[in-house]
Amino acid sequence: MNDDRGEIENLMARYCRTYDSGDFPAILKKALEAADWKGFNKRKRESKKRGKVRGIGIGCFLEVTAPANKEMGGIAFDADGGVTIRTGTLDYGQGHATPFAQVLSAQLGVPFEKVRILQGDSDELLAGGGTGGSRSMMNSGQAIVEAAAKAVDQGKQIASHALEASPGDIEFKDGNFSVAGTDRRVNIMELADKVRTGALKLPPNEPQSLDVNHVSEGSPSAYPNGCHVCEVEIDPATGQTEVVKYSSVNDFGNLINPMLVNGQVHGGVVQGIGQALYEHTVYDDQGQLLTGSFMDYPMPRADTVPAMVIAHHSVPCRTNPLGVKGAGESGVAGSLPSAMNAVLHALSYAGVSTLDMPFTSERVWQALQMAQPAQRRA
């Protein structure tokens, strides 16, 4: 028995993870308020007057992001006055350049507009795990923070020569190195230029630039979570389903750039709605794909998705220096169950309790036709 218990404890230590932060009851409450859950019955009666049936569905989710991997945090002060971040994560539409630059600008006080990104360059990259599992901001963000700290340490040694003081007397704040207790200071961009142009001569045994090539061990997985509420209206005569209301409250930890985060939620929700209601591959008996174009394979469009309410209840992550949790896949995680639950709720009046995805108009219509008339109830 003791041996079994020891084995169980070993397995738990190896595989079990702790949700480091979150406020799940508050998120549920805020989501129900944002969706006007209490007003649903009134909206349902209004739909019925128009010959439609209405349903509401909820989807609470908690994700685990990809685990830590080694990630490069390279910083280079370039000859043209710019600053380059070298990273192994790849931006294929998320907008990494903006939040990465925000982080570096906040850490070093360098001008935001001067920051550029070099990503995935095998000639420059020391380590990197690519992009996936909603981990880019955590891993690259941590790497940038750590690299910036190294740049500051190097800068203090270099600034001590520029300001003719001991390195221990050099302070750094808001992009400036200064001698403690005095007004003598030098800006980090100015200091980098002095070193680069040779205007400041440095001893050979000390850092020769503020450039950093750092490899971070990465941050542990985080747990973004949220609650999505979807409302649909169905025409029983045709099976046509329309998403008429959508609300969500999410916890992504600290938000570096709320606009980009909201954009990722928008895209994920639309993808989930498409998967739940529209997108369907069909093959013939010979295995030939029959839905090989957008003439036959429907995708959600602007006119099939309503304006969304996207709110945040941020509880900072405790396992990375930025307190971020990742947001890339959350829209899908919340929209799939909430959209499916909404459709099934709408069809429950006819006794329909299950249906295979996608909930196309044909499948919804067929489900209603097959329902027992005795089960139909308003």
mmCIF file with all atom_site columns, all heavy atoms in Angstrom, residues 4 45 54 109 127 135 217 220 223 250 263 265-266 281 292 295 297 311 319 333 347 360 369:
data_model
loop_
_atom_site.group_PDB
_atom_site.id
_atom_site.type_symbol
_atom_site.label_atom_id
_atom_site.label_alt_id
_atom_site.label_comp_id
_atom_site.label_asym_id
_atom_site.label_entity_id
_atom_site.label_seq_id
_atom_site.pdbx_PDB_ins_code
_atom_site.Cartn_x
_atom_site.Cartn_y
_atom_site.Cartn_z
_atom_site.occupancy
_atom_site.B_iso_or_equiv
_atom_site.pdbx_formal_charge
_atom_site.auth_seq_id
_atom_site.auth_comp_id
_atom_site.auth_asym_id
_atom_site.auth_atom_id
_atom_site.pdbx_PDB_model_num
ATOM 1   N N   . ASP A 1 4   ? 2.321   1.850  -3.377  1.00 0.00 ? 4   ASP A N   1
ATOM 2   C CA  . ASP A 1 4   ? 1.340   2.438  -4.290  1.00 0.00 ? 4   ASP A CA  1
ATOM 3   C C   . ASP A 1 4   ? 1.169   3.925  -4.023  1.00 0.00 ? 4   ASP A C   1
ATOM 4   O O   . ASP A 1 4   ? 1.079   4.730  -4.956  1.00 0.00 ? 4   ASP A O   1
ATOM 5   C CB  . ASP A 1 4   ? -0.017  1.740  -4.150  1.00 0.00 ? 4   ASP A CB  1
ATOM 6   C CG  . ASP A 1 4   ? 0.023   0.310  -4.671  1.00 0.00 ? 4   ASP A CG  1
ATOM 7   O OD1 . ASP A 1 4   ? 0.959   -0.012 -5.427  1.00 0.00 ? 4   ASP A OD1 1
ATOM 8   O OD2 . ASP A 1 4   ? -0.875  -0.481 -4.308  1.00 0.00 ? 4   ASP A OD2 1
ATOM 9   N N   . ARG A 1 45  ? -39.340 35.477 -26.057 1.00 0.00 ? 45  ARG A N   1
ATOM 10  C CA  . ARG A 1 45  ? -40.739 35.720 -26.414 1.00 0.00 ? 45  ARG A CA  1
ATOM 11  C C   . ARG A 1 45  ? -40.848 36.590 -27.665 1.00 0.00 ? 45  ARG A C   1
ATOM 12  O O   . ARG A 1 45  ? -41.712 36.370 -28.524 1.00 0.00 ? 45  ARG A O   1
ATOM 13  C CB  . ARG A 1 45  ? -41.461 36.383 -25.235 1.00 0.00 ? 45  ARG A CB  1
ATOM 14  C CG  . ARG A 1 45  ? -41.681 35.444 -24.049 1.00 0.00 ? 45  ARG A CG  1
ATOM 15  C CD  . ARG A 1 45  ? -42.643 36.045 -23.047 1.00 0.00 ? 45  ARG A CD  1
ATOM 16  N NE  . ARG A 1 45  ? -42.104 37.256 -22.432 1.00 0.00 ? 45  ARG A NE  1
ATOM 17  C CZ  . ARG A 1 45  ? -41.404 37.266 -21.305 1.00 0.00 ? 45  ARG A CZ  1
ATOM 18  N NH1 . ARG A 1 45  ? -41.113 36.121 -20.674 1.00 0.00 ? 45  ARG A NH1 1
ATOM 19  N NH2 . ARG A 1 45  ? -40.957 38.400 -20.806 1.00 0.00 ? 45  ARG A NH2 1
ATOM 20  N N   . ARG A 1 54  ? -35.332 30.699 -29.921 1.00 0.00 ? 54  ARG A N   1
ATOM 21  C CA  . ARG A 1 54  ? -34.103 31.335 -29.443 1.00 0.00 ? 54  ARG A CA  1
ATOM 22  C C   . ARG A 1 54  ? -33.465 30.465 -28.364 1.00 0.00 ? 54  ARG A C   1
ATOM 23  O O   . ARG A 1 54  ? -34.153 29.830 -27.560 1.00 0.00 ? 54  ARG A O   1
ATOM 24  C CB  . ARG A 1 54  ? -34.432 32.722 -28.875 1.00 0.00 ? 54  ARG A CB  1
ATOM 25  C CG  . ARG A 1 54  ? -33.244 33.669 -28.735 1.00 0.00 ? 54  ARG A CG  1
ATOM 26  C CD  . ARG A 1 54  ? -33.738 35.024 -28.257 1.00 0.00 ? 54  ARG A CD  1
ATOM 27  N NE  . ARG A 1 54  ? -32.687 36.030 -28.271 1.00 0.00 ? 54  ARG A NE  1
ATOM 28  C CZ  . ARG A 1 54  ? -32.549 36.974 -29.189 1.00 0.00 ? 54  ARG A CZ  1
ATOM 29  N NH1 . ARG A 1 54  ? -33.423 37.035 -30.192 1.00 0.00 ? 54  ARG A NH1 1
ATOM 30  N NH2 . ARG A 1 54  ? -31.573 37.862 -29.116 1.00 0.00 ? 54  ARG A NH2 1
ATOM 31  N N   . GLY A 1 109 ? 13.490  52.081 -21.488 1.00 0.00 ? 109 GLY A N   1
ATOM 32  C CA  . GLY A 1 109 ? 13.245  53.484 -21.792 1.00 0.00 ? 109 GLY A CA  1
ATOM 33  C C   . GLY A 1 109 ? 13.662  53.886 -23.184 1.00 0.00 ? 109 GLY A C   1
ATOM 34  O O   . GLY A 1 109 ? 13.778  55.079 -23.484 1.00 0.00 ? 109 GLY A O   1
ATOM 35  N N   . ALA A 1 127 ? 18.548  30.235 -29.665 1.00 0.00 ? 127 ALA A N   1
ATOM 36  C CA  . ALA A 1 127 ? 17.546  29.271 -29.198 1.00 0.00 ? 127 ALA A CA  1
ATOM 37  C C   . ALA A 1 127 ? 16.178  29.837 -29.507 1.00 0.00 ? 127 ALA A C   1
ATOM 38  O O   . ALA A 1 127 ? 15.999  31.048 -29.604 1.00 0.00 ? 127 ALA A O   1
ATOM 39  C CB  . ALA A 1 127 ? 17.687  29.007 -27.702 1.00 0.00 ? 127 ALA A CB  1
ATOM 40  N N   . ARG A 1 135 ? 1.970   30.871 -26.157 1.00 0.00 ? 135 ARG A N   1
ATOM 41  C CA  . ARG A 1 135 ? 3.055   31.098 -25.192 1.00 0.00 ? 135 ARG A CA  1
ATOM 42  C C   . ARG A 1 135 ? 4.019   32.217 -25.583 1.00 0.00 ? 135 ARG A C   1
ATOM 43  O O   . ARG A 1 135 ? 4.956   32.509 -24.832 1.00 0.00 ? 135 ARG A O   1
ATOM 44  C CB  . ARG A 1 135 ? 3.867   29.809 -25.034 1.00 0.00 ? 135 ARG A CB  1
ATOM 45  C CG  . ARG A 1 135 ? 4.637   29.417 -26.281 1.00 0.00 ? 135 ARG A CG  1
ATOM 46  C CD  . ARG A 1 135 ? 5.344   28.100 -26.103 1.00 0.00 ? 135 ARG A CD  1
ATOM 47  N NE  . ARG A 1 135 ? 5.970   27.640 -27.334 1.00 0.00 ? 135 ARG A NE  1
ATOM 48  C CZ  . ARG A 1 135 ? 6.490   26.444 -27.510 1.00 0.00 ? 135 ARG A CZ  1
ATOM 49  N NH1 . ARG A 1 135 ? 6.467   25.585 -26.511 1.00 0.00 ? 135 ARG A NH1 1
ATOM 50  N NH2 . ARG A 1 135 ? 7.028   26.094 -28.653 1.00 0.00 ? 135 ARG A NH2 1
ATOM 51  N N   . GLU A 1 217 ? 15.376  30.437 -19.981 1.00 0.00 ? 217 GLU A N   1
ATOM 52  C CA  . GLU A 1 217 ? 14.882  29.075 -19.780 1.00 0.00 ? 217 GLU A CA  1
ATOM 53  C C   . GLU A 1 217 ? 13.370  28.988 -20.013 1.00 0.00 ? 217 GLU A C   1
ATOM 54  O O   . GLU A 1 217 ? 12.824  27.895 -20.122 1.00 0.00 ? 217 GLU A O   1
ATOM 55  C CB  . GLU A 1 217 ? 15.215  28.593 -18.371 1.00 0.00 ? 217 GLU A CB  1
ATOM 56  C CG  . GLU A 1 217 ? 16.701  28.414 -18.117 1.00 0.00 ? 217 GLU A CG  1
ATOM 57  C CD  . GLU A 1 217 ? 17.304  27.332 -19.002 1.00 0.00 ? 217 GLU A CD  1
ATOM 58  O OE1 . GLU A 1 217 ? 16.648  26.289 -19.198 1.00 0.00 ? 217 GLU A OE1 1
ATOM 59  O OE2 . GLU A 1 217 ? 18.421  27.550 -19.499 1.00 0.00 ? 217 GLU A OE2 1
ATOM 60  N N   . PRO A 1 220 ? 6.878   28.775 -16.948 1.00 0.00 ? 220 PRO A N   1
ATOM 61  C CA  . PRO A 1 220 ? 5.974   27.619 -16.910 1.00 0.00 ? 220 PRO A CA  1
ATOM 62  C C   . PRO A 1 220 ? 4.662   27.903 -17.631 1.00 0.00 ? 220 PRO A C   1
ATOM 63  O O   . PRO A 1 220 ? 4.346   29.046 -17.952 1.00 0.00 ? 220 PRO A O   1
ATOM 64  C CB  . PRO A 1 220 ? 5.737   27.412 -15.406 1.00 0.00 ? 220 PRO A CB  1
ATOM 65  C CG  . PRO A 1 220 ? 6.826   28.166 -14.725 1.00 0.00 ? 220 PRO A CG  1
ATOM 66  C CD  . PRO A 1 220 ? 7.186   29.302 -15.616 1.00 0.00 ? 220 PRO A CD  1
ATOM 67  N N   . TYR A 1 223 ? -2.506  29.646 -17.250 1.00 0.00 ? 223 TYR A N   1
ATOM 68  C CA  . TYR A 1 223 ? -3.872  29.139 -17.349 1.00 0.00 ? 223 TYR A CA  1
ATOM 69  C C   . TYR A 1 223 ? -4.872  30.253 -17.668 1.00 0.00 ? 223 TYR A C   1
ATOM 70  O O   . TYR A 1 223 ? -5.641  30.698 -16.801 1.00 0.00 ? 223 TYR A O   1
ATOM 71  C CB  . TYR A 1 223 ? -4.246  28.423 -16.051 1.00 0.00 ? 223 TYR A CB  1
ATOM 72  C CG  . TYR A 1 223 ? -3.317  27.275 -15.761 1.00 0.00 ? 223 TYR A CG  1
ATOM 73  C CD1 . TYR A 1 223 ? -2.158  27.462 -14.999 1.00 0.00 ? 223 TYR A CD1 1
ATOM 74  C CD2 . TYR A 1 223 ? -3.538  26.014 -16.300 1.00 0.00 ? 223 TYR A CD2 1
ATOM 75  C CE1 . TYR A 1 223 ? -1.268  26.418 -14.768 1.00 0.00 ? 223 TYR A CE1 1
ATOM 76  C CE2 . TYR A 1 223 ? -2.656  24.965 -16.073 1.00 0.00 ? 223 TYR A CE2 1
ATOM 77  C CZ  . TYR A 1 223 ? -1.528  25.178 -15.306 1.00 0.00 ? 223 TYR A CZ  1
ATOM 78  O OH  . TYR A 1 223 ? -0.643  24.152 -15.088 1.00 0.00 ? 223 TYR A OH  1
ATOM 79  N N   . ASN A 1 250 ? -12.865 37.489 -20.031 1.00 0.00 ? 250 ASN A N   1
ATOM 80  C CA  . ASN A 1 250 ? -11.671 36.647 -20.080 1.00 0.00 ? 250 ASN A CA  1
ATOM 81  C C   . ASN A 1 250 ? -10.621 37.114 -19.080 1.00 0.00 ? 250 ASN A C   1
ATOM 82  O O   . ASN A 1 250 ? -10.522 38.307 -18.771 1.00 0.00 ? 250 ASN A O   1
ATOM 83  C CB  . ASN A 1 250 ? -11.063 36.692 -21.492 1.00 0.00 ? 250 ASN A CB  1
ATOM 84  C CG  . ASN A 1 250 ? -12.056 36.301 -22.563 1.00 0.00 ? 250 ASN A CG  1
ATOM 85  O OD1 . ASN A 1 250 ? -12.299 35.137 -22.800 1.00 0.00 ? 250 ASN A OD1 1
ATOM 86  N ND2 . ASN A 1 250 ? -12.652 37.297 -23.222 1.00 0.00 ? 250 ASN A ND2 1
ATOM 87  N N   . GLY A 1 263 ? -8.476  41.705 -30.595 1.00 0.00 ? 263 GLY A N   1
ATOM 88  C CA  . GLY A 1 263 ? -8.471  41.197 -31.966 1.00 0.00 ? 263 GLY A CA  1
ATOM 89  C C   . GLY A 1 263 ? -8.297  39.696 -32.023 1.00 0.00 ? 263 GLY A C   1
ATOM 90  O O   . GLY A 1 263 ? -8.944  39.010 -32.835 1.00 0.00 ? 263 GLY A O   1
ATOM 91  N N   . VAL A 1 265 ? -9.226  37.614 -29.668 1.00 0.00 ? 265 VAL A N   1
ATOM 92  C CA  . VAL A 1 265 ? -10.486 37.028 -29.207 1.00 0.00 ? 265 VAL A CA  1
ATOM 93  C C   . VAL A 1 265 ? -11.521 37.058 -30.328 1.00 0.00 ? 265 VAL A C   1
ATOM 94  O O   . VAL A 1 265 ? -12.217 36.064 -30.578 1.00 0.00 ? 265 VAL A O   1
ATOM 95  C CB  . VAL A 1 265 ? -11.008 37.772 -27.966 1.00 0.00 ? 265 VAL A CB  1
ATOM 96  C CG1 . VAL A 1 265 ? -12.389 37.235 -27.567 1.00 0.00 ? 265 VAL A CG1 1
ATOM 97  C CG2 . VAL A 1 265 ? -10.043 37.621 -26.797 1.00 0.00 ? 265 VAL A CG2 1
ATOM 98  N N   . HIS A 1 266 ? -11.632 38.182 -31.025 1.00 0.00 ? 266 HIS A N   1
ATOM 99  C CA  . HIS A 1 266 ? -12.567 38.279 -32.146 1.00 0.00 ? 266 HIS A CA  1
ATOM 100 C C   . HIS A 1 266 ? -12.321 37.158 -33.153 1.00 0.00 ? 266 HIS A C   1
ATOM 101 O O   . HIS A 1 266 ? -13.252 36.447 -33.564 1.00 0.00 ? 266 HIS A O   1
ATOM 102 C CB  . HIS A 1 266 ? -12.412 39.632 -32.855 1.00 0.00 ? 266 HIS A CB  1
ATOM 103 C CG  . HIS A 1 266 ? -13.191 40.736 -32.241 1.00 0.00 ? 266 HIS A CG  1
ATOM 104 N ND1 . HIS A 1 266 ? -12.589 41.804 -31.617 1.00 0.00 ? 266 HIS A ND1 1
ATOM 105 C CD2 . HIS A 1 266 ? -14.524 40.955 -32.144 1.00 0.00 ? 266 HIS A CD2 1
ATOM 106 C CE1 . HIS A 1 266 ? -13.516 42.626 -31.165 1.00 0.00 ? 266 HIS A CE1 1
ATOM 107 N NE2 . HIS A 1 266 ? -14.697 42.141 -31.468 1.00 0.00 ? 266 HIS A NE2 1
ATOM 108 N N   . THR A 1 281 ? -16.705 19.362 -44.321 1.00 0.00 ? 281 THR A N   1
ATOM 109 C CA  . THR A 1 281 ? -16.091 18.726 -45.487 1.00 0.00 ? 281 THR A CA  1
ATOM 110 C C   . THR A 1 281 ? -16.908 17.517 -45.901 1.00 0.00 ? 281 THR A C   1
ATOM 111 O O   . THR A 1 281 ? -17.315 16.716 -45.054 1.00 0.00 ? 281 THR A O   1
ATOM 112 C CB  . THR A 1 281 ? -14.639 18.294 -45.184 1.00 0.00 ? 281 THR A CB  1
ATOM 113 O OG1 . THR A 1 281 ? -14.631 17.493 -43.995 1.00 0.00 ? 281 THR A OG1 1
ATOM 114 C CG2 . THR A 1 281 ? -13.745 19.500 -44.978 1.00 0.00 ? 281 THR A CG2 1
ATOM 115 N N   . GLY A 1 292 ? -14.471 21.612 -52.009 1.00 0.00 ? 292 GLY A N   1
ATOM 116 C CA  . GLY A 1 292 ? -13.093 22.061 -52.154 1.00 0.00 ? 292 GLY A CA  1
ATOM 117 C C   . GLY A 1 292 ? -12.928 23.534 -52.429 1.00 0.00 ? 292 GLY A C   1
ATOM 118 O O   . GLY A 1 292 ? -11.809 24.003 -52.641 1.00 0.00 ? 292 GLY A O   1
ATOM 119 N N   . MET A 1 295 ? -17.260 28.126 -52.514 1.00 0.00 ? 295 MET A N   1
ATOM 120 C CA  . MET A 1 295 ? -18.614 28.030 -53.052 1.00 0.00 ? 295 MET A CA  1
ATOM 121 C C   . MET A 1 295 ? -19.409 26.949 -52.317 1.00 0.00 ? 295 MET A C   1
ATOM 122 O O   . MET A 1 295 ? -20.631 27.011 -52.204 1.00 0.00 ? 295 MET A O   1
ATOM 123 C CB  . MET A 1 295 ? -18.571 27.710 -54.547 1.00 0.00 ? 295 MET A CB  1
ATOM 124 C CG  . MET A 1 295 ? -17.979 28.820 -55.412 1.00 0.00 ? 295 MET A CG  1
ATOM 125 S SD  . MET A 1 295 ? -19.062 30.257 -55.503 1.00 0.00 ? 295 MET A SD  1
ATOM 126 C CE  . MET A 1 295 ? -20.380 29.588 -56.520 1.00 0.00 ? 295 MET A CE  1
ATOM 127 N N   . TYR A 1 297 ? -17.879 25.268 -49.291 1.00 0.00 ? 297 TYR A N   1
ATOM 128 C CA  . TYR A 1 297 ? -17.426 25.173 -47.907 1.00 0.00 ? 297 TYR A CA  1
ATOM 129 C C   . TYR A 1 297 ? -17.662 26.540 -47.251 1.00 0.00 ? 297 TYR A C   1
ATOM 130 O O   . TYR A 1 297 ? -16.890 27.478 -47.462 1.00 0.00 ? 297 TYR A O   1
ATOM 131 C CB  . TYR A 1 297 ? -15.944 24.798 -47.862 1.00 0.00 ? 297 TYR A CB  1
ATOM 132 C CG  . TYR A 1 297 ? -15.387 24.567 -46.471 1.00 0.00 ? 297 TYR A CG  1
ATOM 133 C CD1 . TYR A 1 297 ? -15.410 23.299 -45.910 1.00 0.00 ? 297 TYR A CD1 1
ATOM 134 C CD2 . TYR A 1 297 ? -14.841 25.607 -45.733 1.00 0.00 ? 297 TYR A CD2 1
ATOM 135 C CE1 . TYR A 1 297 ? -14.889 23.069 -44.644 1.00 0.00 ? 297 TYR A CE1 1
ATOM 136 C CE2 . TYR A 1 297 ? -14.321 25.392 -44.461 1.00 0.00 ? 297 TYR A CE2 1
ATOM 137 C CZ  . TYR A 1 297 ? -14.347 24.116 -43.930 1.00 0.00 ? 297 TYR A CZ  1
ATOM 138 O OH  . TYR A 1 297 ? -13.840 23.882 -42.666 1.00 0.00 ? 297 TYR A OH  1
ATOM 139 N N   . ALA A 1 311 ? -14.975 41.689 -22.564 1.00 0.00 ? 311 ALA A N   1
ATOM 140 C CA  . ALA A 1 311 ? -14.537 42.330 -21.323 1.00 0.00 ? 311 ALA A CA  1
ATOM 141 C C   . ALA A 1 311 ? -13.437 41.486 -20.690 1.00 0.00 ? 311 ALA A C   1
ATOM 142 O O   . ALA A 1 311 ? -13.239 40.319 -21.047 1.00 0.00 ? 311 ALA A O   1
ATOM 143 C CB  . ALA A 1 311 ? -15.714 42.493 -20.366 1.00 0.00 ? 311 ALA A CB  1
ATOM 144 N N   . THR A 1 319 ? 3.772   33.260 -12.458 1.00 0.00 ? 319 THR A N   1
ATOM 145 C CA  . THR A 1 319 ? 4.932   32.443 -12.823 1.00 0.00 ? 319 THR A CA  1
ATOM 146 C C   . THR A 1 319 ? 5.773   33.053 -13.941 1.00 0.00 ? 319 THR A C   1
ATOM 147 O O   . THR A 1 319 ? 6.663   32.388 -14.450 1.00 0.00 ? 319 THR A O   1
ATOM 148 C CB  . THR A 1 319 ? 4.471   31.036 -13.245 1.00 0.00 ? 319 THR A CB  1
ATOM 149 O OG1 . THR A 1 319 ? 3.542   31.139 -14.330 1.00 0.00 ? 319 THR A OG1 1
ATOM 150 C CG2 . THR A 1 319 ? 3.813   30.321 -12.077 1.00 0.00 ? 319 THR A CG2 1
ATOM 151 N N   . ALA A 1 333 ? -11.803 28.345 -27.678 1.00 0.00 ? 333 ALA A N   1
ATOM 152 C CA  . ALA A 1 333 ? -12.131 27.555 -26.493 1.00 0.00 ? 333 ALA A CA  1
ATOM 153 C C   . ALA A 1 333 ? -13.472 27.969 -25.900 1.00 0.00 ? 333 ALA A C   1
ATOM 154 O O   . ALA A 1 333 ? -14.225 27.127 -25.391 1.00 0.00 ? 333 ALA A O   1
ATOM 155 C CB  . ALA A 1 333 ? -11.029 27.698 -25.445 1.00 0.00 ? 333 ALA A CB  1
ATOM 156 N N   . LEU A 1 347 ? -33.269 24.197 -29.541 1.00 0.00 ? 347 LEU A N   1
ATOM 157 C CA  . LEU A 1 347 ? -33.983 23.039 -30.097 1.00 0.00 ? 347 LEU A CA  1
ATOM 158 C C   . LEU A 1 347 ? -34.630 22.169 -29.027 1.00 0.00 ? 347 LEU A C   1
ATOM 159 O O   . LEU A 1 347 ? -35.356 21.227 -29.351 1.00 0.00 ? 347 LEU A O   1
ATOM 160 C CB  . LEU A 1 347 ? -33.007 22.181 -30.918 1.00 0.00 ? 347 LEU A CB  1
ATOM 161 C CG  . LEU A 1 347 ? -32.360 22.850 -32.132 1.00 0.00 ? 347 LEU A CG  1
ATOM 162 C CD1 . LEU A 1 347 ? -31.421 21.885 -32.834 1.00 0.00 ? 347 LEU A CD1 1
ATOM 163 C CD2 . LEU A 1 347 ? -33.418 23.374 -33.102 1.00 0.00 ? 347 LEU A CD2 1
ATOM 164 N N   . THR A 1 360 ? -25.353 22.729 -39.243 1.00 0.00 ? 360 THR A N   1
ATOM 165 C CA  . THR A 1 360 ? -25.782 23.390 -40.474 1.00 0.00 ? 360 THR A CA  1
ATOM 166 C C   . THR A 1 360 ? -27.303 23.491 -40.498 1.00 0.00 ? 360 THR A C   1
ATOM 167 O O   . THR A 1 360 ? -28.009 22.795 -39.759 1.00 0.00 ? 360 THR A O   1
ATOM 168 C CB  . THR A 1 360 ? -25.308 22.603 -41.705 1.00 0.00 ? 360 THR A CB  1
ATOM 169 O OG1 . THR A 1 360 ? -25.904 21.291 -41.670 1.00 0.00 ? 360 THR A OG1 1
ATOM 170 C CG2 . THR A 1 360 ? -23.790 22.463 -41.711 1.00 0.00 ? 360 THR A CG2 1
ATOM 171 N N   . GLN A 1 369 ? -37.426 17.788 -37.908 1.00 0.00 ? 369 GLN A N   1
ATOM 172 C CA  . GLN A 1 369 ? -38.408 16.932 -38.582 1.00 0.00 ? 369 GLN A CA  1
ATOM 173 C C   . GLN A 1 369 ? -38.486 15.558 -37.934 1.00 0.00 ? 369 GLN A C   1
ATOM 174 O O   . GLN A 1 369 ? -39.555 14.923 -37.908 1.00 0.00 ? 369 GLN A O   1
ATOM 175 C CB  . GLN A 1 369 ? -38.045 16.777 -40.060 1.00 0.00 ? 369 GLN A CB  1
ATOM 176 C CG  . GLN A 1 369 ? -37.999 18.080 -40.843 1.00 0.00 ? 369 GLN A CG  1
ATOM 177 C CD  . GLN A 1 369 ? -39.236 18.930 -40.641 1.00 0.00 ? 369 GLN A CD  1
ATOM 178 O OE1 . GLN A 1 369 ? -40.360 18.483 -40.886 1.00 0.00 ? 369 GLN A OE1 1
ATOM 179 N NE2 . GLN A 1 369 ? -39.030 20.164 -40.198 1.00 0.00 ? 369 GLN A NE2 1
#
